[in-house]
Amino acid sequence: MGTRTSRRPLDACAAAGTIRTDVPASDIGAALEGIALTSAGPGHREQAERLLDLMLDGLRVRGRG
């Protein structure tokens, strides 16, 4: 996730205000690697989808107020 090409979507989302700016790209990459490693076995697709949803939800900017 640390390459210039893979940062572009993250930078664009951060600039648009749709994802948090306090999460380094390396942390996102590590989270994705962890999801892949723990959900790689047969029959773990549903778990991988839940974990990915959880991670993506954590990246969203929350409303203030």
Side-chain angles (χ1 to χ4, degrees):
M1 291 293 297
T3 67
R4 187 176 200 73
T5 303
S6 62
R7 286 203 45 87
R8 287 184 190 153
L10 295 176
D11 291 342
C13 290
T18 57
I19 66 168
R20 294 169 41 182
T21 58
D22 63 331
V23 180
S26 60
D27 288 358
I28 296 170
L32 291 173
E33 288 175 23
I35 291 169
L37 288 173
T38 61
S39 304
H44 289 121
R45 181 183 176 108
E46 290 176 5
Q47 180 186 38
E49 290 174 358
R50 286 192 310 273
L51 292 170
L52 185 57
D53 285 344
L54 181 64
M55 189 201 75
L56 293 174
D57 188 49
L59 288 174
R60 287 190 184 97
V61 171
R62 302 287 182 231
R64 296 171 202 221

